[in-house]
Amino acid sequence: MDPSKQETNQNKASKTSAKMDTQEAHFVVYNTMTQQKEDFKPKIPGKVRMYVCGVTAYDFSHLGHARAAVSFDVLYRYLQHLGYEVTYVRNFTDVDDKIIRRANETGEDPISLSDRFCKEYNVDMSDLQCLSPTHEPRVSGHIEQIKDMITQIINKDFGYVVDGDVFFAVDKFPNYGKLSGQKLENNRAGERVAVDSRKRNPSDFALWKAAKPGEPSWDSPWGPGRPGWHIECSAMSAHYLSFKFDIHGGGLDLIFPHHENEIAQSCAACEESDVSYWMHNGHVTNNNEKMSKSLGNFFTIRQITERYHPLALRYFLINAHYRSPLNYSMVQLEGASEAIFYIYQTLQDCQDSLSQLKEEIPNDGKPARTTPDAKECISKLQNEFQTKMSDDLSTSLILTGAFLEALKLVNNLLTMLKKKQQKQQRLLVIQSLVEVKKEVTKVLDVLGLQPPYSYNEVLMQLKEKALTRAGLVEDDVIRVINERAEVRRNKDFLKSDQMRADLQAKGIALMDVGTETIWRPCVPVQQEPEVV
């Protein structure tokens, strides 16, 4: 990850977003704890403290990890857009059974292996334009805080020691299950929870695990060992945000047992522990089955971005509501790629046109005058963006409707500029272009879809990815364009259409513009079988 790039993105998000007065901002979020939408009100006016469970770093991260990161990045960006000062904490689990097993397979030190994949994760996050959290703590760097919390839990009779292991006594916590509605006996079915006859209750879970040969360990009052999985997030969230904070987030699969156990631990250590809103993103599925490493049906972020632009992947991820299931589909990724190509091509065309008209753009500080259509378009886009985003981040409804109408208007205004007009009318069109483009880029910025480099660079990258998927190089396409031009000169339009269709089936669209033919990526179109 390039830290300077992340810092630039974060500054850009905070500076260019149109901010609202936090006293007036109306934002509704779905709270998993109450199972209903609630008005968002932070504990400290003007400030938001948010903790999101990160990845267990032992391999390249997959699409499910990308969805969680992008979902909460949009939340982070939107809260900043509303004017809040946000402290965002997202952890890395770098001490865990899975990490140890992988390290034993590869012959690496577990902490070193995990560090390598933490760095790879941050490369992926940078590619997806996820802003860096305020803090990215790792388990290995917070052992003392974890041991202190375990001590508090034991001292308050919620934990007990057996042969160097420390367990949480769920029977002592009467509210266990209030987040998930799960019964105690279901805890043994948790992915990382093994049945242990030494437990007082099969549902009790490990706070501290006694050292085993070949595993990383630290000294503790109960003997050498390492933390259990759940205690890390309770300790680190309390360390950075206190026991009382606003938002705790993560994937839907973390509700039980992980977040349920976090609540029990945190409340046991501090009776006043309180999280205002629990937020969870939905699963990514593959053929309607949850995508995960354990099931072996996942695609890594890196595998996808080798063929599709990271911004196309981000568009795909936010083109569904964050709480809904999202089924992986190459067709949808192709559609996302085509959609962002259209967005950036429109903005590039607008930018090219405006750069040639600099001298005609007023710079007198007066409010810009726009056409009635532009004024209505801007108002509609602003209202729709605010309405949909303030309703539990309904991003899937943002990139349609008024947003697409705004892009269409930009293209219409560009067409109008090519026609002869009176000076005043021409000035209205130019100012309308400036103002509509400004509103479109504000929306893209909050959604994390405003690229940190030129639109032309993104367009070139999108075309390169399309060629990769088609198994072609640009010279192949140019050759077909030249051959097709000769075929058209010979008036063999049937063959000309077939040549165009052959490329379109591979995701390459030919467009005849005057006497010139250009190409752009498109969704591959399956050809109709010939009738024999």
Side-chain angles (χ1 to χ4, degrees):
M1 177 187 67
D2 182 349
S4 62
K5 179 179 175 182
Q6 285 287 339
E7 185 178 355
T8 300
N9 285 348
Q10 190 159 356
N11 290 339
K12 183 179 178 184
S14 61
K15 289 178 181 177
T16 63
S17 293
K19 295 185 179 181
M20 300 168 57
D21 185 340
T22 56
Q23 299 301 317
E24 299 176 359
H26 182 237
F27 182 29
V28 173
V29 298
Y30 183 86
N31 189 350
T32 306
M33 180 65 77
T34 60
Q35 297 185 35
Q36 62 184 11
K37 291 181 181 179
E38 300 177 1
D39 289 338
F40 179 74
K41 294 180 181 178
K43 295 182 181 297
I44 302 172
K47 297 185 178 182
V48 176
R49 291 170 296 175
M50 176 170 74
Y51 185 94
V52 176
C53 291
V55 297
T56 300
Y58 68 97
D59 202 346
F60 289 102
S61 295
H62 59 66
L63 194 54
H65 298 138
R67 189 181 194 195
V70 169
S71 295
F72 289 101
D73 181 66
V74 170
L75 174 59
Y76 184 28
R77 287 171 177 270
Y78 187 59
L79 289 168
Q80 289 181 320
H81 168 76
L82 293 178
Y84 291 110
E85 179 186 328
V86 187
T87 302
Y88 175 21
V89 182
R90 184 183 65 210
N91 76 299
F92 280 114
T93 297
D94 65 344
V95 179
D96 180 81
D97 292 342
K98 293 182 178 181
I99 297 169
I100 293 168
R101 282 198 297 269
R102 178 60 59 84
N104 288 338
E105 292 169 4
T106 60
E108 293 180 71
D109 172 72
I111 302 296
S112 297
L113 177 140
S114 191
D115 176 67
R116 178 159 58 87
F117 284 113
C118 287
K119 291 174 181 174
E120 295 290 0
Y121 175 83
N122 278 333
V123 170
D124 289 335
M125 293 303 100
S126 180
D127 286 345
L128 289 171
Q129 292 204 159
C130 290
L131 301 176
S132 293
T134 316
H135 304 286
E136 289 189 285
R138 302 187 188 188
V139 176
S140 61
H142 294 78
I143 300 298
E144 292 306 313
Q145 290 87 348
I146 291 170
K147 290 191 293 186
D148 288 346
M149 180 170 278
I150 294 173
T151 299
Q152 290 175 307
I153 291 170
I154 293 173
N155 290 343
K156 294 184 178 181
D157 201 30
F158 284 92
Y160 58 96
V161 183
V162 181
D163 302 328
D165 289 322
V166 183
F167 296 102
F168 186 92
V170 293
D171 288 338
K172 299 278 187 176
F173 190 70
N175 288 329
Y176 190 85
K178 66 178 181 178
L179 177 67
S180 63
Q182 291 272 15
K183 296 179 180 180
L184 284 179
E185 55 267 24
N186 293 340
N187 199 8
R188 73 178 71 185
E191 183 181 345
R192 310 186 191 200
V193 179
V195 176
D196 189 330
S197 60
R198 299 173 303 156
K199 296 179 182 179
R200 296 175 184 172
N201 184 315
S203 299
D204 293 349
F205 55 90
L207 301 173
W208 186 262
K209 297 182 176 182
K212 295 178 182 176
E215 294 187 355
S217 64
W218 292 263
D219 290 333
S220 80
W222 322 286
R226 58 185 174 89
W229 174 36
H230 311 293
I231 191 66
E232 64 185 69
C233 288
S234 288
M236 289 190 286
S237 62
H239 177 69
Y240 289 96
L241 304 175
S242 83
F243 280 96
K244 293 182 177 182
F245 57 96
D246 302 298
I247 298 170
H248 196 313
L252 197 64
D253 55 324
L254 296 180
I255 294 175
F256 188 87
H258 186 53
H259 287 165
E260 198 70 76
N261 291 351
E262 275 193 66
I263 292 171
Q265 294 163 157
S266 297
C267 290
C270 175
E271 292 180 5
E272 297 179 354
S273 176
D274 178 59
V275 173
S276 299
Y277 307 93
W278 289 86
M279 299 178 68
H280 297 90
N281 64 276
H283 295 312
V284 177
T285 58
N286 188 357
N287 293 323
N288 298 314
E289 185 176 43
K290 180 198 165 190
M291 188 178 289
S292 71
K293 289 178 181 175
S294 57
L295 294 174
N297 65 343
F298 69 95
F299 293 93
T300 66
I301 299 169
R302 210 69 60 89
Q303 285 174 320
I304 295 170
T305 55
E306 283 175 1
R307 295 172 57 82
Y308 295 92
H309 197 285
L311 286 168
L313 175 54
R314 185 177 178 105
Y315 183 102
F316 165 72
L317 292 168
I318 67 175
N319 206 29
H321 191 274
Y322 77 91
R323 285 192 289 112
S324 67
L326 177 63
N327 198 43
Y328 172 78
S329 162
M330 284 195 293
V331 172
Q332 289 192 58
L333 276 170
E334 292 282 0
S337 188
E338 184 177 54
I340 63 167
F341 190 94
Y342 170 68
I343 293 169
Y344 300 139
Q345 185 65 69
T346 300
L347 292 172
Q348 182 62 53
D349 292 344
C350 181
Q351 193 166 285
D352 289 342
S353 182
L354 291 174
S355 66
Q356 297 171 13
L357 302 168
K358 286 181 181 179
E359 295 181 359
E360 298 184 53
I361 301 174
N363 191 24
D364 52 13
K366 294 180 181 180
R369 293 178 63 241
T370 62
T371 66
D373 284 350
K375 186 176 181 180
E376 181 183 355
C377 174
I378 290 169
S379 176
K380 187 175 179 182
L381 179 56
Q382 289 174 337
N383 291 335
E384 193 168 292
F385 176 74
Q386 181 181 335
T387 300
K388 302 305 181 186
M389 287 296 285
S390 65
D391 183 14
D392 196 32
L393 303 175
S394 296
T395 55
S396 58
L397 304 175
I398 298 296
L399 296 169
T400 57
F403 182 81
L404 288 181
E405 289 174 17
L407 293 175
K408 184 178 179 181
L409 179 60
V410 167
N411 284 314
N412 290 341
L413 291 169
L414 289 172
T415 300
M416 289 175 66
L417 276 180
K418 296 175 184 177
K419 301 176 181 178
K420 286 188 177 181
Q421 295 170 310
Q422 293 182 348
K423 185 177 180 181
Q424 283 300 109
Q425 181 62 27
R426 181 177 174 82
L427 181 59
L428 274 179
V429 172
I430 293 171
Q431 289 184 306
S432 296
L433 267 178
V434 171
E435 296 305 310
V436 174
K437 178 177 180 286
K438 188 186 299 181
E439 291 304 317
V440 167
T441 54
K442 283 178 183 177
V443 171
L444 292 176
D445 191 51
V446 177
L447 296 179
L449 290 171
Q450 180 67 8
Y453 35 83
S454 73
Y455 299 126
N456 254 335
E457 287 180 83
V458 185
L459 293 169
M460 289 175 61
Q461 291 166 1
L462 285 163
K463 292 178 84 169
E464 288 170 4
K465 297 289 186 184
L467 289 169
T468 297
R469 297 194 297 274
L472 302 170
V473 295
E474 188 162 25
D475 284 348
D476 296 327
V477 179
I478 300 302
R479 177 178 52 77
V480 174
I481 288 174
N482 292 334
E483 290 176 359
R484 180 171 171 270
E486 180 65 27
V487 168
R488 294 180 78 202
R489 280 193 289 270
N490 294 331
K491 300 188 183 301
D492 189 349
F493 299 115
L494 193 63
K495 184 174 181 181
S496 168
D497 290 345
Q498 185 60 51
M499 294 172 77
R500 183 205 294 263
D502 289 343
L503 279 180
Q504 199 166 10
K506 295 180 178 181
I508 306 294
L510 299 184
M511 304 175 70
D512 299 318
V513 183
T515 58
E516 183 185 8
T517 298
I518 61 174
W519 74 272
R520 57 174 288 174
C522 69
V523 176
V525 177
Q526 188 172 359
Q527 299 187 49
E528 295 289 333
E530 293 185 16
V531 178
V532 179

